[in-house]
């Protein structure tokens, strides 16, 4: 089946003419075979309308063990095809999205509901003695974004949780096509406000791939430092939120202060606490001078030391650990079946980290040890974050000691014509994928984004099954998924 795919590397272009166009049955069967027999998984699955009419569907599969991406396409005859989902569960949300966006129906799909639209959405329901339903959102009491959570319960026990989002869809992907090149960077940074660096870097790698350009090693170092600072800041914030949800307020307060220390480092580097305006295709806008290097080393060492001390205090408290362990379990097999990525996947024993599996930029020159656990519960998701904070800090300190004297920016003059690139970045939440295509004039004609939350919201639904409804806030925070990144 491998001959049915074009093989490409992360952020390296492929000519559109080199993408195999298979008949629909061969395309479908090749995806299922690659994912079941050859340890592949769906990285992205999407479609668009051709100029002459009709739809073309694309599949991008990841072979993690080889660091390869495999892409194939098919032209749909009519407006329907035999659904992949019945044979490959991880395709379920992608196929629903295709149907919603371009009207091509995956016939036989077991759960063909809107992905981001509210009209025509029918919630799953249960009937029976003492069965009751709890509906939460989309308007919430706190400052979180809008999403609807519907629980089917018997007493405190949750039989099923169904999550429906899409309340703030902005049309980012379409705007990426129509916007001026100078505006696309800003749009990419706005995909998810807590993943500015990760999405901005995914966009930059896509454009650099389409332009067949490399950035300098100094620019790569600064990019990696900023990405790891974003990772640490968010992981520290999540540890604080989890501590708060179990009522361990000393750790919650300390983690809140420590998170600010790392955001302030991004502020010092970029002028913005979330790293906006640092990245651009061809390099970075701001440099790290020798004085900043020494200050960063000192502040990172001190901040991580405080974070480790606070985390150890939390993990040494029996009542905290008892609340985290065996709560919200997603097993290894479940995580693999639904295609989970990022922290949540690694907490369920899956070795999925794009920094090692699909290295790009500075990560091509570094060996990344994947932090993982096997229990798949809230404790595991908390512990993975803790481990990654330490490893990210070690990497930053190493990079700060090796800053080559080079320029930090070279503009990208033009993009290759009729090409496609797939850019993967391991954001703090997980794998972020930006796929871009150019037309015969070298203009971006198609853009597709997959946020890690697109894979992982189903994992949160599974985590609540047969659990207590009172576990939901803790489980939700242990995943800490993005509404904006999903809604796009």
């Amino acid at each position: 089946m491998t001959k049915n795919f074009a093989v490409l590397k992360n952020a390296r272009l492929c000519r559109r003419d080199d993408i195999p166009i298979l008949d629909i049955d061969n395309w479908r069967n090749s995806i299922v075979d690659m994912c079941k027999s050859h340890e592949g998984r769906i990285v992205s699955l999407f479609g668009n309308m051709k100029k002459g009419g009709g739809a073309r569907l694309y599949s991008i599969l990841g072979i993690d063990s080889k660091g390869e991406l495999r892409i194939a396409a098919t032209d749909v005859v009519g407006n329907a095809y035999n659904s992949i989902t019945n044979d490959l569960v991880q395709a379920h949300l992608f196929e629903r999205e295709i149907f919603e966006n371009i009207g091509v129906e995956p016939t036989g799909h077991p759960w063909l509901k809107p992905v981001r639209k509210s009209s025509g959405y029918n919630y799953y329901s249960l009937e029976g003695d003492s069965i009751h339903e709890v509906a939460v959102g989309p308007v919430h009491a706190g400052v979180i974004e809008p999403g609807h959570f519907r629980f089917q319960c018997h007493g405190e026990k949750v039989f099923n949780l169904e999550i429906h989002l899409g309340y703030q869809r902005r049309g980012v992907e379409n705007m990426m096509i129509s916007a001026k090149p100078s505006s696309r960077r800003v749009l990419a940074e706005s995909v998810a406000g807590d993943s500015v660096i990760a999405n901005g870097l995914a966009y930059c790698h896509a454009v650099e791939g389409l332009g067949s350009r490399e950035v300098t090693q100094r620019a790569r170092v600064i990019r990696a430092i900023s990405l790891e600072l974003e990772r640490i800041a968010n992981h520290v914030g999540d540890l604080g939120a989890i501590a708060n949800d179990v009522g361990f307020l000393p750790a919650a307060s300390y983690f809140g202060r420590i998170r600010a220390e790392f955001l302030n480092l991004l502020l010092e580097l970029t002028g913005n606490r979330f790293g906006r305006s640092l990245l651009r295709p061809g390099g970075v806008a701001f440099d790290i001078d020798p004085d900043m290097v020494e200050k960063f080393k000192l502040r990172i060492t001190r901040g991580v030391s405080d974070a480790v001390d606070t985390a150890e205090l939390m993990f040494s408290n029996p009542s905290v650990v008892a609340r985290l362990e065996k709560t919200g379990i997603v097993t290894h097999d479940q995580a693999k079946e639904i295609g989970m990525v990022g922290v949540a996947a690694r907490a369920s024993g899956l070795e999925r980290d794009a920094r090692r599996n699909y290295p790009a930029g500075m990560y091509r020159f570094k060996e990344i040890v994947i932090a993982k656990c096997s229990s798949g519960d809230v404790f595991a998701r908390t512990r993975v974050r803790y481990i990654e904070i330490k490893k990210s800090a070690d990497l930053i300190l190493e990079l700060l000691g090796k800053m080559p004297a080079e320029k930090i920016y070279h503009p990208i003059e033009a993009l290759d014509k009729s090409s496609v690139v797939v850019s993967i970045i391991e954001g703090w939440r997980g794998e972020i994928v930006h796929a871009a295509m150019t037309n015969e004039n070298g203009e971006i004609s198609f853009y597709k984004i997959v946020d890690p939350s697109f894979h992982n919201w189903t994992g949160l639904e599974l985590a609540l099954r047969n659990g207590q409804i009172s576990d939901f806030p803790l489980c939700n925070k242990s995943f800490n998924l993005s509404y904006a990144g999903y809604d796009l």
Side-chain angles (χ1 to χ4, degrees):
M1 289 292 184
T2 56
K3 66 180 184 298
N4 291 336
F5 296 89
V7 178
L8 62 156
K9 292 290 187 178
N10 184 12
R12 303 294 185 185
L13 70 80
C14 172
R15 302 294 176 188
R16 292 179 68 169
D17 289 343
D18 292 337
I19 299 174
I21 309 297
L22 311 176
D23 67 77
I24 188 70
D25 290 334
N26 194 11
W27 178 79
R28 180 195 180 281
N29 293 336
S30 295
I31 295 170
V32 174
D33 178 74
M34 187 64 67
C35 292
K36 286 196 169 184
S37 304
H38 300 281
E39 291 302 307
R41 61 183 178 86
I42 297 176
V43 170
S44 189
L45 193 68
F46 55 85
N48 61 8
M49 302 305 294
K50 299 185 295 182
K51 284 185 178 180
R56 175 166 290 177
L57 305 183
Y58 293 87
S59 59
I60 301 172
L61 308 183
I63 313 298
D64 295 346
S65 60
K66 296 182 178 180
E68 292 179 354
L69 298 169
R70 297 184 180 173
I71 183 170
T74 187
D75 292 329
V76 180
V77 178
N79 293 314
Y81 68 97
N82 188 21
S83 173
I84 302 170
T85 299
N86 290 310
D87 294 313
L88 197 64
V89 174
Q90 61 187 277
H92 83 99
L93 199 54
F94 288 104
E95 290 197 307
R96 288 168 56 189
E97 183 185 43
I98 288 171
F99 181 52
E100 181 173 278
N101 288 349
I102 62 175
V104 175
E105 181 177 355
T107 305
H109 191 291
W111 200 247
L112 195 56
K113 302 181 179 186
V115 175
R116 301 182 179 94
K117 296 179 180 178
S118 297
S119 59
Y121 194 93
N122 296 313
Y123 288 94
Y124 181 80
S125 62
L126 286 174
E127 295 181 356
D129 292 343
S130 301
I131 296 293
H132 65 98
E133 186 174 86
V134 178
V136 180
V139 178
H140 298 273
V143 296
I144 64 173
E145 296 170 281
H148 184 77
F149 302 82
R150 189 165 296 200
F151 301 83
Q152 311 292 335
C153 304
H154 182 272
E156 286 289 303
K157 184 177 182 178
V158 178
F159 286 147
N160 185 70
L161 164 62
E162 187 167 355
I163 301 170
H164 183 57
L165 307 175
Y167 293 93
Q168 56 176 9
R169 190 172 188 184
R170 297 148 291 159
V172 173
E173 293 166 331
N174 289 333
M175 286 192 287
M176 290 292 285
I177 300 169
S178 59
K180 297 178 181 179
S182 58
S183 299
R184 289 189 182 122
R185 173 181 55 81
V186 178
L187 287 170
E189 292 178 341
S190 303
V191 168
D194 54 18
S195 301
V196 169
I197 300 296
N199 276 291
L201 191 52
Y203 166 72
C204 289
H205 280 183
V207 173
E208 288 154 8
L210 290 171
S212 299
R213 291 290 301 273
E214 292 275 1
V215 302
T216 66
Q217 190 76 340
R218 188 176 185 89
R220 292 192 192 106
V221 168
I222 295 172
R223 286 176 168 187
I225 289 171
S226 65
L227 182 62
E228 297 306 319
L229 281 173
E230 181 175 78
R231 191 183 319 279
I232 293 173
N234 282 288
H235 282 349
V236 169
D238 281 352
L239 292 182
I242 290 168
N244 184 70
D245 278 353
V246 300
F248 194 57
L249 299 185
S253 299
Y254 271 89
F255 280 130
R257 177 192 65 78
I258 297 165
R259 174 177 179 264
E261 296 291 336
F262 292 102
L263 291 177
N264 287 340
L265 288 173
L266 276 174
L267 173 66
E268 188 166 328
L269 174 59
T270 70
N272 182 278
R273 296 178 83 227
F274 297 98
R276 288 184 179 272
S277 75
L278 170 66
L279 304 168
R280 56 200 58 206
V284 293
F286 307 110
D287 204 351
I288 299 178
D289 62 40
D291 288 340
M292 290 175 65
V293 167
E294 296 308 314
K295 290 179 181 177
F296 273 41
K297 286 181 179 179
L298 178 63
R299 292 164 63 181
I300 289 169
T301 300
R302 184 176 59 208
V304 170
S305 177
D306 289 347
V308 168
D309 288 346
T310 307
E312 290 298 336
L313 175 67
M314 184 168 75
F315 289 130
S316 66
N317 187 293
S319 63
V320 171
V321 174
R323 186 69 181 93
L324 303 183
E325 288 184 330
K326 298 182 180 180
T327 300
I329 296 173
V330 180
T331 67
H332 176 276
D333 289 344
Q334 287 175 323
K336 185 176 181 180
E337 184 178 32
I338 66 175
M340 278 171 49
V341 297
V343 168
R346 294 191 286 276
S348 295
L350 293 178
E351 292 194 2
R352 292 180 178 173
D353 190 320
R355 294 173 298 171
R356 191 182 79 174
N357 301 137
Y358 306 96
M362 196 65 219
Y363 299 102
R364 287 182 291 167
F365 310 98
K366 297 296 175 185
E367 183 178 354
I368 300 297
V369 178
I370 294 179
K372 67 172 186 174
C373 292
S374 59
S375 55
D377 52 9
V378 173
F379 177 84
R381 292 186 284 274
T382 307
R383 192 74 181 178
V384 167
R385 284 178 168 85
Y386 165 62
I387 296 170
E388 290 190 356
I389 288 169
K390 295 191 290 184
K391 290 184 178 297
S392 291
D394 290 342
L395 179 57
I396 293 173
L397 293 173
E398 180 185 350
L399 292 174
L400 286 169
K402 300 176 181 178
M403 298 282 291
E406 297 174 304
K407 290 185 177 181
I408 59 172
Y409 175 66
H410 292 288
I412 307 295
E413 300 296 339
L415 306 183
D416 282 36
K417 301 175 182 178
S418 302
S419 298
V420 59
V421 69
V422 180
S423 171
I424 303 180
I425 293 293
E426 187 68 25
W428 67 270
R429 191 178 273 118
E431 175 184 287
I432 292 173
V433 180
H434 286 217
M437 296 183 184
T438 55
N439 59 22
E440 59 276 7
N441 298 318
E443 302 164 334
I444 292 180
S445 58
F446 182 81
Y447 207 92
K448 179 70 187 132
I449 301 169
V450 182
D451 186 89
S453 302
F454 193 81
H455 296 277
N456 288 357
W457 278 111
T458 304
L460 178 58
E461 292 176 334
L462 292 176
L464 263 292
R465 285 192 181 175
N466 297 314
Q468 301 292 304
I469 194 169
S470 56
D471 291 338
F472 174 69
L474 185 57
C475 291
N476 189 27
K477 182 51 62 179
S478 74
F479 278 82
N480 195 10
L481 302 177
S482 174
Y483 300 73
Y486 179 98
D487 285 347
L488 297 176

